[in-house]
Amino acid sequence: MFKKVSGTRDILPEEAAIWQRLEEISRKTFSQYNFQEIRPPLIEEAALFNRSLGESTEIVQKQMFLIKNKDETYCLRPEATASIVRAYIENNLHKTNGFVKLYYIGPMFRLERPQKGRLRQFQHIGCEAIGSSDPALDVEIISLADNLLRNFSIADYRIKINSLGCSADKKKLVDSLRKGLKTKLEKLCPECVNRFKVNPLRILDCKNDACKEAISGLGISDSHLCADCKGHFNKVKTGLDALKINYEVNPFLVRGLDYYTGTVFEIAQKDLGSQDAIGAGGRYNNLVKELGGEEAGAIGFAFGVERVLLAQSEKIKPQDKNLVYLISLGEPAKLEGLKILATLRKNGVPCDTNYEDKSLKGSLRKANDLNSRLVLIIGDNEIEKGVITLKDMASGKQKEVKTKDILREVK
Ligand code: HAM
């Protein structure tokens, strides 16, 4: 028997209905902020991510699902920000639309070691606003993330924010880390010893206690920020305060992707255990230019849907289908039933019937399991009289209705 690939999931119908509801809430919320949907492909040139996320990042080093084809290497996208920036440049969106607000919902792929809340195929609900460096946009994006979480019924989450500053500021931070940690290398975990060489910023958010202790003495704050970046970050904080959004400034928040500059944020939820980031994002003001476009400030975030579902305090309910269930007993009734189903469906009434050769009792049980609001019963008796028996499942009451009146009665 074949089994699904490790780190992937079958979303069975019951759960898929909840996903649909979550997507519906997302689309509605995004449209309240005037975001429009974009659907980039799931495969891209691998080099797009090497360039955007950075050669030394964990994703590029270890987690890409690569597809070799002749001389080219494609990959299943590990995230969507780089794809969307590519699409923005390739489709000249800056010329036709100027500032754009885009959202996306779809699967991402990372070759990770699977565990609770960490999958190899997982779903992002995310957005990107490209073409502005206004700090008010950072506030809008964080408030949108906050609003989405509330609409998803997520409680007990913390919004952590930080500013990495511009490229020069980031370099300053890296230099001071290299200087400060040079003599403490033996205290760092093996991974951070490697990070010290290739990506020292990541040492700041290492969860290892020894590494945390080594960096705690370095007095990391906002001293690496230039006046512009400090001013930008202050405006972001003032805006969040004005909207009464709860946040905490965490100078150790750096994020794992190289494209970030300026404001970064991560949202943690306490019930998620070790994989507690339910979503994250930030500014990436250099990426459009780096990928061949014109200079354009940009910011976005993404939520992991599987983690959103794990963290829900109040489970989102799928929308009730208001199903009508038709039970036909005997061959002549079957044909009559098919005609009635066709009429109901043509008129927008969701309905189903018994295909499993069940008894009346068994079919009624099935109708009940499907949460049907009405059951229509047709047997030889009903055909003879030109009626249909209609049973209201909530009250249990039943009556006979003329066949020609059934649509009006059901509606
Ligand atoms: P990220 O932090 O890599 O950011 O992913 C965003 C969210 O996706 C995480 O906070 C987490 O909830 C979820 N996630 C990540 N990896 C997995 C996994 N293996 N299994 C389950 N869930 C996962 C990005 O991808 C950026 N593109 C976000 C962004 C958009 N920044 C700017 N714009």
Side-chain angles (χ1 to χ4, degrees):
M1 196 176 52
F2 290 111
K3 295 249 168 87
K4 60 185 175 295
V5 171
S6 165
T8 66
R9 295 188 58 221
D10 295 313
I11 316 294
L12 299 177
E14 212 169 298
E15 196 186 340
I18 298 171
W19 280 56
Q20 284 174 10
R21 187 78 191 97
L22 206 66
E23 288 165 11
E24 208 178 288
I25 293 170
S26 308
R27 291 179 196 287
K28 201 164 153 204
T29 312
F30 281 127
S31 80
Q32 281 165 354
Y33 287 74
N34 197 30
F35 277 73
Q36 287 179 303
E37 189 177 8
I38 181 164
R39 300 188 189 205
L42 305 194
I43 51 173
E44 295 274 1
E45 274 185 55
L48 169 68
F49 298 103
N50 296 18
R51 184 75 188 268
S52 313
L53 314 186
E55 294 285 355
S56 62
T57 54
E58 249 177 323
I59 295 182
V60 169
Q61 289 279 311
K62 302 189 234 167
Q63 299 174 349
M64 300 260 273
F65 274 97
L66 297 173
I67 307 161
K68 299 244 190 284
N69 176 43
K70 291 185 192 141
D71 297 333
E72 286 153 332
T73 308
Y74 305 136
C75 75
L76 296 180
R77 63 178 185 191
E79 59 107 58
T81 309
S83 301
I84 288 164
V85 170
R86 183 215 28 82
Y88 172 84
I89 300 165
E90 190 173 348
N91 297 290
N92 281 315
L93 295 189
H94 63 294
K95 286 196 190 127
T96 43
N97 303 51
F99 171 60
V100 293
K101 288 168 133 183
L102 306 166
Y103 80 86
Y104 50 94
I105 298 177
M108 308 294 151
F109 305 85
R110 294 183 195 172
L111 201 49
E112 302 212 56
R113 201 156 33 83
Q115 65 178 82
K116 187 182 166 207
R118 191 160 76 188
L119 292 145
R120 290 179 169 177
Q121 177 180 333
F122 56 97
Q123 184 90 348
H124 266 175
I125 290 178
C127 65
E128 314 295 343
I130 309 175
S132 167
S133 299
D134 188 340
L137 180 62
D138 307 29
V139 178
E140 174 167 302
I141 291 287
I142 295 171
S143 110
L144 166 56
D146 184 54
N147 228 336
L148 272 170
L149 287 178
R150 249 177 299 122
N151 294 345
F152 293 158
S153 301
I154 306 291
D156 299 324
Y157 58 87
R158 284 162 41 222
I159 304 178
K160 298 179 271 182
I161 66 169
N162 190 22
S163 175
L164 298 175
C166 54
S167 304
D169 295 350
K170 271 173 85 174
K171 189 171 173 307
K172 225 161 110 190
L173 183 58
V174 168
D175 288 347
S176 70
L177 276 174
R178 283 224 164 95
K179 209 166 137 209
L181 289 173
K182 205 166 56 188
T183 53
K184 298 184 177 177
L185 284 184
E186 75 286 357
K187 293 196 179 130
L188 302 180
C189 71
E191 218 166 320
C192 281
V193 172
N194 186 44
R195 285 175 180 148
F196 182 81
K197 290 181 218 137
V198 296
N199 195 357
L201 281 183
R202 286 315 307 270
I203 301 174
L204 283 178
D205 65 0
C206 180
K207 301 230 160 73
N208 186 300
D209 285 337
C211 301
K212 277 191 200 166
E213 204 188 309
I215 55 166
S216 68
L218 300 182
I220 300 291
S221 63
D222 60 357
S223 55
H224 61 287
L225 296 181
C226 64
D228 278 357
C229 290
K230 211 175 262 182
H232 182 105
F233 196 43
N234 282 338
K235 283 184 186 157
V236 175
K237 288 183 280 186
T238 307
L240 293 176
D241 291 338
L243 297 188
K244 298 198 166 35
I245 292 173
N246 279 325
Y247 66 91
E248 51 196 73
V249 177
N250 181 340
F252 301 122
L253 177 69
V254 288
R255 309 275 305 120
L257 313 170
D258 279 2
Y259 55 57
Y260 288 114
T261 52
T263 312
V264 286
F265 60 99
E266 198 165 277
I267 303 172
Q269 207 279 342
K270 74 169 177 42
D271 300 330
L272 286 179
S274 64
Q275 304 299 314
D276 67 351
I278 197 166
R283 275 208 166 268
Y284 47 94
N285 288 346
N286 299 333
L287 188 58
V288 180
K289 185 134 193 243
E290 234 156 68
L291 294 182
E294 284 168 22
E295 195 148 319
I299 180 166
F301 66 80
F303 284 122
V305 169
E306 290 80 359
R307 294 191 192 175
V308 167
L309 292 174
L310 284 173
Q312 268 174 345
S313 54
E314 192 185 307
K315 295 291 168 210
I316 286 185
K317 288 196 186 62
Q319 221 141 32
D320 200 349
K321 281 203 287 283
N322 254 335
L323 193 74
V324 173
Y325 196 79
L326 183 137
I327 301 172
S328 47
L329 304 161
E331 273 315 303
K334 249 197 165 115
L335 190 62
E336 189 60 28
L338 282 179
K339 289 196 287 184
I340 292 166
L341 287 173
T343 307
L344 293 178
R345 286 171 177 155
K346 244 184 237 161
N347 287 280
V349 179
C351 49
D352 199 2
T353 191
N354 54 332
Y355 285 113
E356 293 166 285
D357 252 351
K358 282 195 163 76
S359 64
L360 176 61
K361 209 167 146 200
S363 299
L364 279 169
R365 206 174 302 126
K366 177 87 186 185
N368 193 46
D369 291 346
L370 290 171
N371 211 8
S372 311
R373 76 180 161 102
L374 281 179
V375 170
L376 312 183
I377 305 165
I378 328 172
D380 294 344
N381 228 347
E382 279 83 1
I383 293 188
E384 211 167 281
K385 286 159 76 180
V387 296
I388 292 170
T389 300
L390 190 147
K391 183 178 166 89
D392 183 295
M393 293 298 273
S395 66
K397 283 190 188 141
Q398 64 181 60
K399 62 178 177 183
E400 287 183 348
V401 176
K402 286 214 167 69
T403 308
K404 66 176 175 48
D405 296 334
I406 196 68
L407 178 64
R408 199 185 46 201
E409 193 69 30
V410 164
K411 280 207 145 184

